[in-house]
């Protein structure tokens, strides 16, 4: 029973071997068999299967000359290895190569033949039969080309751990080793290609593009990665479309309509040649020539679209191509292909017929043409010169995919060589054992490939990384039109090194690029016009961020490059120019010694000091004259000294403010003014009290002596000093830069505490108000004793100045704050100096006749007369009121005579002086005044 079961299995397996898999193939037996999957056709004929009869195998259409060259590269590499005496000696490699027709279904049909053969070998039927025609297991597969096809194949081969090395499948999804366990490749992943595309778009400063991707495992993941890269760079995708070679005409036309109506001029296409070809044909039919195409590696050099008749639309295309390799002897191998010589390669016959547009005599298609089912072609002998016809097959100048196939075959051979030369105890398998090359299985080859590391004949390091990908770089090409025959020329204009540092990965030589086939100017593909320097991009509602309006930068902000997202703020010491393109240093301003205004104020202050010094000089020179003596000489000296301090304090407000000047100027000004006003206050109040007392007593002399006067001045000034000390301790003023004004930096003083400044000025004003009150009361005293009227005027000037100062101080800014205070100090100082002292100086210097004792006596007598007259009138008025209340009054009012007598009867024997006497009706009042220095000092 068991023997019968094995017999049936053997019978079935032999049937599978001979019949399963595509009939057309390239096959050669050997000790070790490699599988191959190549797209020898671009697609399959669309045929409606209604299942009314047994389904027939779909027919592949449109021969792929480049795909056939890739197949030839695999055969060339295997023959080269078989002829090598160093690589796999005494071992012959065979191959079984199938056409995938660029479709999943055909690829799976071929892959099943590999899997079925390996499954049969696992039954180990050699003991039951002598299989002379036995085909060995396929230990590795080279292919496939498209990522969608390789994904399907990898899912199947991965179940049996059959290594698969793709030469053109770049989808980043295939790097997932959990899902695609046995997949490897000699082409870089699209993970880098999508980044490279985004870098190119950013390099040319485009921000408005169209993205088109094939609707398969190659296009969708690639464009998804591209979208993420674009989002990171703030670049917008206007249209995001999917495409397929199987789209209906109306779908292609609708897509072309959307592209034509879009304002984006750059079209990024992540698709294969067959998928993008229908769209390009439609664009050529419409003659849309104002677009720039950015091609992925899968179609950048595709012979389907790189045609001269398409260059009016496609010229200027920027594409990615793999780094070209060199295969010695491959050119001659391609030239020597012939149907009669290459009987093991059934694809050569179709290649020959398609190249020369003929039929071979024994071709099945020739019989079909005779029956009328196919178009008529002439017969060919099979010995025509292949070099006489120009096809993509012989385009061996830039071997890219062909070189990847060559590397894949050599990688498998090197892995087999490592197994062949493995030393027991140093192997990769259990207990460091080695695999037996005669009995090895596919999974052992996969293990060896993952640890592959060798140097090829070109001196290049070959190894697969942790994702089973092989490192490689991209060459950037530009489609030019040949000046000789009008064909497409792939001009290398740069490269992309995916392993370089960020910023150094992309290199492009702009001088080599021709846009739209003739222009050297970079096309514009932005949603909005560039914002010039001095403006920024402003958001437009309901539009992508790449669509914006240009808004001028605000004052104090600038942008010095195009398309600035934000305007940069100028530093504190700078301001933007009129165009907002750069910042210039602000002008630094303060009340300077060198500016006219500062010079004028300084001159006024110095003039005040000089005039005050002059008055002091006059008073010192004429210190023994009655006018000087009568004005309280010592107190006048203190008063004049305080005025010098007032004028001098204004100079501290001029010049660049420093911390020490800011802390000195307000206290100096405040103390100086309080000292000045307190002197005037004590002086005025003393004279007023003496004259109102009518007859000075010893009490007045005691309380209003010189020491007490200075004590009162000191006490008044001490209060102001304490205010300044508290101020400087708690909130000391300091210099600071005021940036509130646009183009100017004002260096001013921060007073620290406005309240403290208010207390300082307020206290000064209170003293001035008290002084004004006493001066007003003293306005009728003898003019030679006090200048009450002038003191009143000086205090009025003081109040007017400082009341006006308060609003002016808070309404001005910058250097004018200091100027306002200087003007207030000078105005009030000049007012007090002029009103109090100029009249005296005038009398001393120009009216010396009035600076005599007699003039003083007459002035005093006149004042006494006025006082006595007022007293007499008041007394008589009181007497009349009393007599009227007793019931008697005379009809007439007695006349009173008032006279001033200075005869001999009034001589004072004690003093030897005449005493003025004032007489009136009811009696005589004698007023005695002595001007001896001792008594004057006690009174004054």
């Amino acid at each position: 029973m068991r023997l019968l079961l094995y017999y049936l299995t053997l019978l079935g397996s032999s049937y599978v071997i001979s019949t399963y898999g595509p009939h057309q193939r390239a096959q050669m037996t050997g000790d070790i068999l490699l599988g191959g999957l190549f797209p020898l056709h671009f697609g399959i004929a669309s045929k409606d299967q209604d299942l009314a009869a047994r389904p027939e195998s779909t027919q592949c259409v449109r021969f792929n000359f480049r795909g056939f060259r890739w197949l030839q590269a695999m055969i060339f590499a295997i023959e080269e290895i078989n002829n090598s005496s160093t690589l796999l000696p005494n071992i012959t490699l065979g191959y079984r190569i199938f056409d995938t027709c660029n479709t999943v279904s055909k690829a799976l049909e071929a892959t099943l033949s590999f899997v079925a053969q390996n499954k049969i070998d696992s039954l180990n039927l050699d003991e039951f039969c002598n299989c002379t025609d036995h085909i060995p297991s396929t230990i590795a597969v080279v292919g496939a080309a498209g990522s969608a096809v390789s994904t399907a194949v990898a899912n199947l081969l991965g179940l049996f751990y059959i290594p698969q090395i793709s030469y053109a499948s770049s989808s980043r999804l295939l790097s997932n080793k959990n899902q695609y366990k046995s997949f490897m490749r000699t082409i870089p992943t699209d993970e880098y290609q999508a980044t490279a595309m985004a870098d190119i778009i950013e390099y040319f400063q485009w921000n408005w593009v169209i993205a088109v991707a094939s609707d398969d495992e190659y296009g969708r993941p690639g464009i998804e990665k591209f979208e993420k890269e674009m989002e990171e760079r703030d670049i917008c995708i206007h249209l995001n479309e999917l495409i397929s070679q199987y789209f209906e005409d109306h779908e292609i036309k609708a897509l072309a309509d959307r592209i034509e109506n879009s304002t984006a001029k750059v079209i990024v296409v992540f698709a294969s040649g067959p998928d993008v070809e229908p769209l390009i044909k439609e664009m050529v039919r419409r003659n849309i020539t104002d677009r720039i195409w950015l091609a992925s590696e899968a179609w950048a050099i595709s012979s389907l679209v790189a045609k001269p008749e398409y260059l009016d639309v496609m010229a200027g295309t920027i594409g990615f191509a793999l780094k070209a390799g060199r295969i010695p002897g491959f050119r001659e191998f391609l030239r020597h292909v012939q149907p009669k010589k290459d009987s093991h390669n059934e694809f050569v016959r179709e290649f020959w017929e398609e190249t020369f547009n003929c039929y071979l005599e024994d071709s099945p298609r020739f019989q079909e043409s005779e029956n009328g089912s196919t178009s008529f072609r002439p017969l060919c002998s099979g010995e025509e010169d292949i070099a006489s016809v120009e096809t993509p097959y012989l385009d061996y100048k830039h071997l890219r995919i062909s070189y990847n196939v060559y590397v894949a075959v050599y990688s498998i051979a090197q892995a087999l060589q490592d197994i062949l030369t493995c030393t027991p105890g140093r192997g990769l398998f259990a207990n460091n054992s080695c695999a037996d090359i005669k009995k090895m299985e596919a999974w052992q080859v996969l293990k060896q490939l993952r640890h592959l590391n060798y140097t090829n004949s070109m001196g290049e390091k070959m190894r697969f990384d942790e994702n089973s990908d092989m490192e490689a770089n991209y060459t950037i090409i530009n489609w030019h039109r040949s000046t000789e025959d009008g064909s497409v020329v792939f001009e290398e204009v740069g490269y992309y090194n995916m392993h370089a540092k960020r910023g150094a990965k992309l290199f492009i030589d702009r001088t080599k690029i021709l846009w739209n086939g003739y222009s050297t100017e970079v096309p514009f593909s932005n949603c909005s016009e560039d914002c010039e320097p001095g403006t920024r991009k402003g958001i437009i509602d309901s539009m992508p961020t790449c669509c914006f309006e240009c808004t001028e930068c605000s004052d104090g902000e600038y942008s010095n490059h195009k398309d600035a997202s934000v305007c940069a703020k100028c530093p504190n010491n700078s301001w933007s120019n009129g165009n907002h393109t750069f910042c210039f240093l602000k002008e630094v301003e303060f009340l300077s010694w060198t500016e006219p205004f500062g010079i004028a104020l300084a001159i006024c202050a110095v003039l005040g000091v000089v005039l005050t010094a002059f008055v002091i000089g006059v008073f010192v020179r004429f210190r023994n004259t009655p006018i000087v003596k009568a004005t309280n000489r010592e107190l006048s000296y203190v008063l004049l000294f305080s005025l010098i301090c007032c004028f001098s304090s204004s100079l501290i407000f001029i010049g660049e403010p420093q911390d020490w000047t800011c802390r000195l100027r307000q206290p100096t000004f405040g103390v100086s003014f309080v000292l000045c006003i307190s002197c005037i206050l004590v002086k005025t109040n003393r004279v007023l009290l003496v004259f109102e007392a009518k007859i000075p007593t010893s009490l007045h002399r005691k309380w209003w002596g010189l020491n007490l006067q200075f004590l009162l001045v000191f006490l008044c000034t001490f209060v102001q000093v304490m205010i300044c000390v508290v101020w400087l301790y708690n909130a000391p003023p300091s210099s600071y830069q005021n940036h509130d004004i646009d183009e100017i930096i004002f260096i001013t003083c921060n007073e620290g505490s406005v309240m403290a400044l208010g207390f300082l000025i307020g206290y000064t004003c209170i003293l001035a108000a008290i002084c004004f009150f006493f001066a007003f009361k003293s306005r009728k005293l003898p003019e030679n004793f006090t200048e009450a009227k002038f003191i009143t005027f000086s205090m009025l000037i003081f109040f007017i100045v400082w009341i006006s100062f308060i609003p002016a101080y808070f309404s001005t800014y910058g250097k004018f704050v200091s100027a306002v205070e200087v003007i207030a100090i000078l105005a009030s100082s000049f007012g007090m100096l002029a009103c109090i002292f100029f009249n005296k100086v005038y009398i001393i210097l120009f009216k010396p006749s009035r600076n005599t004792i007699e003039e003083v006596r007459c002035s005093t007598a006149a004042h006494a007369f006025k006082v006595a007259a007022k007293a007499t009138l008041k007394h008589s008025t009181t007497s009349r009121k009393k007599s009227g209340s007793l019931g008697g009054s005379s009809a007439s009012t007695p006349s009173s005579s008032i006279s001033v007598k200075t005869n001999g009867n009034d001589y004072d024997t004690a003093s030897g002086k005449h005493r003025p006497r004032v007489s009136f009706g009811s009696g005589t009042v004698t007023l005695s005044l002595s001007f001896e220095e001792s008594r004057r000092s006690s009174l004054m």
Side-chain angles (χ1 to χ4, degrees):
M1 186 66 182
R2 184 181 178 189
L3 291 174
L4 179 62
L5 178 60
Y6 276 112
Y7 175 76
L8 293 175
T9 303
L10 179 61
L11 182 63
S13 64
S14 61
Y15 174 79
V16 171
I17 293 170
S18 60
T19 63
Y20 193 79
H23 174 71
Q24 196 174 17
R25 67 187 69 181
Q27 179 172 306
M28 187 179 71
T29 59
D31 299 323
I32 299 174
L33 197 64
L34 305 183
L37 297 173
F38 294 91
L40 299 177
H41 294 83
F42 286 112
I44 58 177
S46 57
K47 187 175 182 181
D48 185 19
Q49 300 283 1
D50 57 2
L51 301 180
R54 180 183 179 87
E56 297 179 359
S57 177
T58 53
Q59 184 179 359
C60 298
V61 295
R62 295 194 300 168
F63 191 80
N64 183 359
F65 290 94
R66 290 180 68 218
F68 182 69
R69 188 177 73 232
W70 302 342
L71 178 148
Q72 290 289 82
M74 180 175 177
I75 295 176
F76 173 79
I78 291 175
E79 290 184 1
E80 195 175 57
I81 293 169
N82 288 337
N83 294 329
S84 173
S85 59
T86 56
L87 187 61
L88 297 178
N90 302 320
I91 295 179
T92 303
L93 295 180
Y95 54 82
R96 296 176 66 205
I97 302 175
F98 297 99
D99 179 15
T100 65
C101 299
N102 204 34
T103 59
V104 172
S105 59
K106 288 292 184 179
L108 288 178
E109 185 179 357
T111 305
L112 283 173
S113 68
F114 301 142
V115 173
Q117 180 62 46
N118 286 25
K119 192 63 178 174
I120 292 171
D121 285 350
S122 66
L123 295 177
N124 194 15
L125 301 179
D126 292 342
E127 59 179 301
F128 297 101
C129 67
N130 183 14
C131 301
T132 55
D133 295 331
H134 172 63
I135 299 176
S137 298
T138 303
I139 54 94
V141 176
V142 177
S147 295
V149 175
S150 287
T151 300
V153 171
N155 281 318
L156 184 55
L157 293 179
L159 294 175
F160 304 95
Y161 291 93
I162 301 175
Q164 172 192 0
I165 303 181
S166 175
Y167 46 85
S169 300
S170 57
S171 173
R172 64 187 182 91
L173 298 181
L174 290 168
S175 296
N176 185 353
K177 295 299 103 181
N178 292 326
Q179 185 172 357
Y180 308 105
K181 301 177 178 62
S182 63
F183 180 82
M184 311 177 85
R185 53 186 161 191
T186 57
I187 186 174
T189 173
D190 288 335
E191 185 85 14
Y192 301 108
Q193 187 174 189
T195 304
M197 283 184 166
D199 284 345
I200 285 183
I201 292 172
E202 185 179 30
Y203 176 82
F204 289 112
Q205 298 180 356
W206 296 323
N207 68 6
W208 194 237
V209 300
I210 298 171
V212 179
S214 57
D215 190 13
D216 55 24
E217 283 75 5
Y218 170 73
R220 287 192 300 268
I223 212 67
E224 179 184 344
K225 173 65 176 177
F226 175 74
E227 289 175 0
K228 292 180 180 178
E229 294 289 337
M230 297 286 277
E231 185 176 351
E232 290 179 1
R233 293 165 172 78
D234 292 329
I235 301 174
C236 300
I237 298 177
H238 184 211
L239 296 177
N240 198 339
E241 303 287 346
L242 293 176
I243 194 173
S244 172
Q245 62 177 312
Y246 302 110
F247 269 14
E248 300 291 339
D249 287 344
H250 68 89
E251 293 178 295
I252 296 295
K253 290 180 179 179
L255 175 57
D257 288 338
R258 292 192 292 273
I259 293 176
E260 187 175 9
N261 295 329
S262 173
T263 56
K265 301 301 180 182
V266 174
I267 306 173
V268 180
V269 181
F270 238 104
S272 62
D275 286 327
V276 77
E277 183 189 17
L279 174 61
I280 292 177
K281 282 184 176 179
E282 181 63 22
M283 299 291 282
V284 170
R285 188 186 69 81
R286 300 188 183 198
N287 196 29
I288 303 175
T289 60
D290 61 341
R291 298 297 194 270
I292 297 298
W293 298 78
L294 188 56
S296 66
E297 171 275 328
W299 71 277
I301 55 175
S302 173
S303 58
L304 280 179
V305 292
K307 297 180 179 179
E309 57 267 29
Y310 294 166
L311 277 181
D312 290 340
V313 172
M314 302 303 295
T317 296
I318 299 293
F320 287 88
L322 299 175
K323 183 179 178 181
R326 193 163 59 89
I327 307 177
F330 187 49
R331 177 179 181 180
E332 291 72 18
F333 179 80
L334 293 177
R335 285 176 174 269
H336 288 89
V337 64
Q338 276 190 351
K340 295 180 181 179
K341 294 180 181 179
D342 300 304
S343 58
H344 60 277
N345 188 350
E346 298 177 6
F347 299 109
V348 173
R349 301 177 64 83
E350 185 177 358
F351 161 73
W352 204 265
E353 292 175 348
E354 293 296 330
T355 300
F356 296 101
N357 195 24
C358 65
Y359 289 129
L360 293 170
E361 185 175 0
D362 56 348
S363 172
R365 293 194 297 174
F366 173 69
Q367 298 175 359
E368 293 177 1
S369 65
E370 288 183 339
N371 297 332
S373 58
T374 60
S375 61
F376 174 78
R377 292 181 183 181
L379 288 174
C380 48
S381 63
E383 297 180 357
E384 289 80 6
D385 185 9
I386 191 67
S388 64
V389 181
E390 184 176 348
T391 63
Y393 170 74
L394 292 178
D395 183 14
Y396 41 73
K397 294 180 181 178
H398 301 288
L399 298 176
R400 307 180 193 278
I401 302 298
S402 299
Y403 184 71
N404 286 352
V405 175
Y406 184 78
V407 170
V409 175
Y410 263 87
S411 295
I412 297 171
Q414 188 64 44
L416 296 175
Q417 177 71 15
D418 292 343
I419 293 175
L420 178 64
T421 59
C422 176
T423 302
R426 296 183 179 180
L428 299 177
F429 304 100
N431 299 321
N432 297 323
S433 60
C434 298
D436 185 357
I437 196 166
K438 295 181 180 180
K439 298 180 180 180
M440 66 179 178
E441 299 183 36
W443 65 269
Q444 293 174 317
V445 178
L446 177 61
K447 176 72 171 178
Q448 201 71 45
L449 281 169
R450 289 178 178 178
H451 292 81
L452 185 67
N453 192 348
Y454 74 102
T455 303
N456 65 7
S457 59
M458 306 295 297
E460 297 174 331
K461 293 286 186 181
M462 296 294 172
R463 60 176 296 272
F464 294 97
D465 60 19
E466 63 276 6
N467 293 322
S468 297
D469 300 330
M470 193 165 284
E471 296 181 355
N473 297 321
Y474 290 110
T475 298
I476 300 174
I477 61 173
N478 183 222
W479 288 19
H480 290 189
R481 186 190 296 273
S482 173
T483 57
E484 297 177 357
D485 55 6
S487 62
V488 181
V489 176
F490 302 119
E491 181 71 21
E492 293 188 5
V493 296
Y495 61 83
Y496 187 85
N497 185 352
M498 61 188 67
H499 300 292
K501 295 180 180 179
R502 185 174 182 86
K505 294 183 177 182
L506 178 66
F507 170 77
I508 293 179
D509 187 354
R510 291 194 178 201
T511 60
K512 293 183 178 180
I513 298 179
L514 292 179
W515 302 103
N516 300 113
Y518 58 89
S519 176
T520 57
E521 183 179 356
V522 178
F524 181 82
S525 184
N526 292 9
C527 182
S528 302
E529 293 290 334
D530 293 341
C531 287
E532 296 298 324
T535 61
R536 64 173 178 83
K537 295 187 287 188
I539 298 175
I540 301 177
D541 293 338
S542 70
M543 293 293 289
T545 56
C546 300
C547 302
F548 50 82
E549 57 184 0
C550 297
T551 305
E552 186 176 3
C553 293
S554 303
D555 291 338
E557 297 179 346
Y558 75 100
S559 63
N560 55 8
H561 60 276
K562 288 186 176 182
D563 280 346
S565 299
V566 294
C567 294
K569 192 173 182 63
C570 291
N572 285 338
N573 63 342
S574 304
W575 194 252
S576 58
N577 65 329
N579 295 329
H580 302 281
T581 55
F582 65 89
C583 294
F584 60 89
L585 292 177
K586 290 182 178 180
E587 181 181 355
V588 178
E589 284 196 5
F590 51 86
L591 190 57
S592 173
W593 293 99
T594 58
E595 63 176 295
F597 194 34
I599 294 173
L601 293 176
I603 290 173
C604 291
V606 173
L607 179 61
V609 172
V610 171
L611 290 176
T612 307
F614 174 75
V615 173
I616 292 176
V618 171
F619 268 49
V620 172
R621 173 66 179 79
F622 298 95
R623 61 185 176 277
N624 293 321
T625 60
I627 288 294
V628 176
K629 290 180 179 181
T631 56
N632 198 338
R633 184 170 52 193
E634 290 76 9
L635 210 57
S636 295
Y637 292 157
V638 177
L639 176 58
L640 289 168
F641 171 75
S642 67
L643 284 173
I644 289 178
C645 293
C646 290
F647 284 116
S648 300
S649 67
S650 65
L651 297 175
I652 307 177
F653 289 82
I654 304 174
E656 182 176 354
Q658 305 291 335
D659 286 345
W660 68 271
T661 58
C662 291
R663 294 167 186 171
L664 181 63
R665 64 183 192 175
Q666 296 292 4
T668 303
F669 142 72
V671 172
S672 300
F673 263 82
V674 166
L675 179 61
C676 177
I677 293 174
S678 61
C679 288
I680 298 173
L681 173 63
V682 171
K683 182 179 177 182
T684 306
N685 189 40
R686 170 188 159 276
V687 175
L688 176 64
L689 291 177
V690 169
F691 274 91
E692 284 187 349
K694 299 180 180 60
I695 300 177
T697 65
S698 60
L699 181 63
H700 291 102
R701 296 188 185 98
K702 178 180 179 182
W703 286 104
W704 287 102
L706 191 59
N707 293 334
L708 182 60
Q709 295 174 44
F710 285 129
L711 178 62
L712 292 176
V713 171
F714 171 76
L715 292 176
C716 292
T717 308
F718 181 75
V719 174
Q720 186 76 308
V721 171
M722 292 308 298
I723 293 174
C724 295
V725 169
V726 173
W727 180 8
L728 294 176
Y729 180 78
N730 291 316
S734 60
S735 65
Y736 84 106
Q737 295 183 348
N738 186 347
H739 300 274
D740 294 340
I741 306 304
D742 293 347
E743 301 178 6
I744 301 174
I745 298 176
F746 287 116
I747 302 180
T748 59
C749 285
N750 180 7
E751 302 301 348
S753 173
V754 178
M755 182 180 295
L757 179 61
F759 276 119
L760 183 141
I761 297 176
Y763 177 69
T764 306
C765 291
I766 289 173
L767 291 181
I770 297 172
C771 187
F772 174 78
F773 172 74
F774 287 133
F776 183 78
K777 288 191 66 176
S778 305
R779 68 189 183 281
K780 296 182 180 180
L781 292 180
E783 294 179 356
N784 288 44
F785 278 88
T786 182
E787 310 78 13
K789 293 180 182 179
F790 298 111
I791 292 176
T792 304
F793 290 148
S794 68
M795 292 301 102
L796 283 175
I797 293 172
F798 183 88
F799 279 121
I800 291 171
V801 168
W802 290 101
I803 289 174
S804 302
F805 165 78
I806 295 173
Y809 181 85
F810 288 103
S811 61
T812 54
Y813 54 87
K815 65 180 181 180
F816 301 106
V817 174
S818 298
V820 165
E821 192 162 358
V822 171
I823 292 172
I825 293 172
L826 294 177
S828 54
S829 299
F830 273 115
M832 288 186 288
L833 177 64
C835 291
I836 296 175
F837 292 103
F838 281 6
N839 183 45
K840 292 180 175 58
V841 172
Y842 174 76
I843 293 173
I844 293 172
L845 297 179
F846 301 106
K847 298 290 184 179
S849 60
R850 295 179 59 184
N851 190 12
T852 61
I853 296 176
E854 290 77 10
E855 184 68 20
V856 173
R857 285 176 178 175
C858 289
S859 176
T860 305
H863 176 72
F865 172 76
K866 293 177 183 179
V867 172
K870 286 183 179 180
T872 302
L873 290 175
K874 183 177 180 181
H875 177 73
S876 68
T877 301
T878 304
S879 299
R880 283 198 301 272
K881 287 182 179 180
K882 288 182 179 180
S883 61
S885 63
L886 295 173
S889 63
S890 59
S892 63
T893 303
S895 62
S896 301
S897 64
I898 304 173
S899 62
V900 178
K901 298 181 180 180
T902 59
N903 53 23
N905 297 331
D906 299 325
Y907 185 80
D908 188 352
T909 59
S911 61
K913 301 285 184 181
H914 288 279
R915 292 179 294 174
R917 184 177 64 188
V918 180
S919 302
F920 47 89
S922 59
T924 300
V925 176
T926 301
L927 179 63
S928 177
L929 292 175
S930 176
F931 293 94
E932 285 122 358
E933 185 66 24
S934 60
R935 295 187 65 194
R936 188 198 64 76
S937 297
S938 65
L939 289 171
M940 302 295 176

